[in-house]
C-alpha cells in the first residue's frame, strides 16, 4: 500500500479491429511513500479487443423519366459516423423506387450495399437510410385519321382512328387517347389538314405518360 504504479500511455499494437490484441503501457512511474526504494524495470503487456465501429450509410438518387420499372440510379453515397481520414466508403447495392409509377418524392431504398476501403474492416454498416426522388411522365405522341366529308358549310371533322407512338411495350392496351375536337383547316372543298385539339390520355397506365 506504500508503492503503486501510475501514469503512462497504453497503446494497442495497431488501430485495427481484432480480438486479443497486445496492449503496451509506456511511461508508467512509481508513486507512494516507499516508491524511492524501487525501480520499475518493466511493465508486462496485456491484451484487449478492438471491436468494429457501427456506422450508417446515406445516398441520393437521381430523378428519372418513366421507363416501366422501379430501378433507381444512385447519385451520391456518404457514411455517417466514420472517423475522418479513414479509407472507407459505401459501394454496390441495388437502388429501387417504391413503385415503377410516376410520382414526386417517391421513396428509394438501397439494398445490399457494402463497405470498401483499407479501413472498411474496422466498421460495421448498421443500415442505409432511404431517400426520395421523382419519376416524371414519359412524353408520347398521338396520331389520328379523319373521315372525308361532303361540304356542309363548317370545318368540323370526324375522327375515324387514333394511335399512340412511344408507349412502352408493357403498357400497350393500358393507355389510349380519347376526346378532343377535330377541325379541317377551313370549311371549303379540298384535300385539307385536320387538327385534333384537346385530346387526352385514358387507361390504367395513362398517369405515367404525357401527351
Amino acid at each position: 500500500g506504500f508503492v503503486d504504479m501510475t501514469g503512462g500511455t497504453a497503446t494497442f499494437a495497431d488501430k485495427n479491429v481484432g480480438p486479443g490484441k497486445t496492449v503496451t503501457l509506456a511511461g508508467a512511474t512509481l508513486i507512494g511513500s516507499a516508491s524511492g526504494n524501487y525501480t520499475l524495470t518493466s511493465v508486462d503487456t496485456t491484451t484487449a479487443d478492438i471491436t468494429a465501429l457501427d456506422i450508417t450509410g446515406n445516398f441520393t438518387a437521381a430523378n428519372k423519366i418513366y421507363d416501366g420499372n422501379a430501378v433507381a440510379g444512385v447519385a451520391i453515397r456518404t457514411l455517417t459516423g466514420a472517423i475522418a481520414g479513414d479509407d472507407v466508403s459505401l459501394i454496390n447495392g441495388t437502388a429501387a423506387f417504391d413503385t415503377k409509377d410516376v410520382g414526386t418524392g417517391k421513396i428509394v431504398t438501397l439494398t445490399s450495399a457494402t463497405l470498401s476501403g483499407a479501413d472498411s474492416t474496422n466498421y460495421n454498416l448498421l443500415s442505409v437510410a432511404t431517400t426520395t426522388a421523382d419519376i416524371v411522365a414519359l412524353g408520347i405522341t398521338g396520331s389520328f385519321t379523319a373521315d372525308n366529308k361532303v361540304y356542309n358549310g363548317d370545318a368540323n371533322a370526324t375522327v375515324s382512328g387514333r394511335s399512340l407512338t412511344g408507349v412502352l411495350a408493357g403498357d400497350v392496351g393500358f393507355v389510349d387517347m380519347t376526346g378532343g375536337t377535330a377541325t379541317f383547316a377551313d370549311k371549303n372543298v379540298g384535300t385539307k389538314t385536320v387538327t385534333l385539339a384537346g385530346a387526352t390520355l385514358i387507361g390504367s397506365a395513362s398517369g405515367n405518360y404525357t401527351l
Side-chain angles (χ1 to χ4, degrees):
F2 299 101
V3 58
D4 291 294
M5 183 172 64
T6 190
T9 302
T11 310
F12 283 94
D14 58 53
K15 70 173 186 174
N16 298 318
V17 166
K21 298 175 71 73
T22 298
V23 183
T24 302
L25 181 65
T29 57
L30 298 176
I31 58 171
S33 58
S35 61
N37 298 316
Y38 297 89
T39 182
L40 187 60
T41 57
S42 65
V43 177
D44 289 341
T45 61
T46 189
T47 59
D49 303 339
I50 299 179
T51 57
L53 176 62
D54 290 337
I55 57 175
T56 56
N58 303 277
F59 75 104
T60 59
N63 298 331
K64 75 170 185 176
I65 296 171
Y66 175 73
D67 60 3
N69 65 65
V71 174
V74 176
I76 300 172
R77 302 166 187 260
T78 58
L79 290 169
T80 300
I83 295 170
D86 270 4
D87 178 14
V88 58
S89 58
L90 185 69
I91 64 167
N92 297 327
T94 301
F97 286 93
D98 50 354
T99 71
K100 68 180 179 67
D101 298 316
V102 165
T104 58
K106 295 173 68 69
I107 293 173
V108 184
T109 303
L110 180 64
T111 56
S112 301
T114 58
L115 297 176
S116 179
D119 295 309
S120 61
T121 55
N122 295 319
Y123 293 92
N124 175 47
L125 183 61
L126 279 179
S127 62
V128 178
T130 61
T131 189
T132 58
D134 303 340
I135 298 179
V136 298
L138 174 62
I140 56 176
T141 303
S143 301
F144 73 103
T145 55
D147 289 336
N148 298 327
K149 76 171 188 177
V150 177
Y151 175 77
N152 66 349
D154 65 48
N156 296 336
T158 300
V159 175
S160 57
R162 302 166 187 262
S163 62
L164 291 169
T165 301
V167 175
L168 300 180
D171 290 334
V172 173
F174 299 99
V175 57
D176 292 294
M177 183 171 63
T178 189
T181 301
T183 310
F184 284 96
D186 57 54
K187 68 177 183 176
N188 300 317
V189 169
T191 301
K192 305 285 183 177
T193 298
V194 182
T195 303
L196 180 63
T200 58
L201 297 175
I202 58 170
S204 58
S206 61
N208 295 318
Y209 295 91
T210 183
L211 187 59

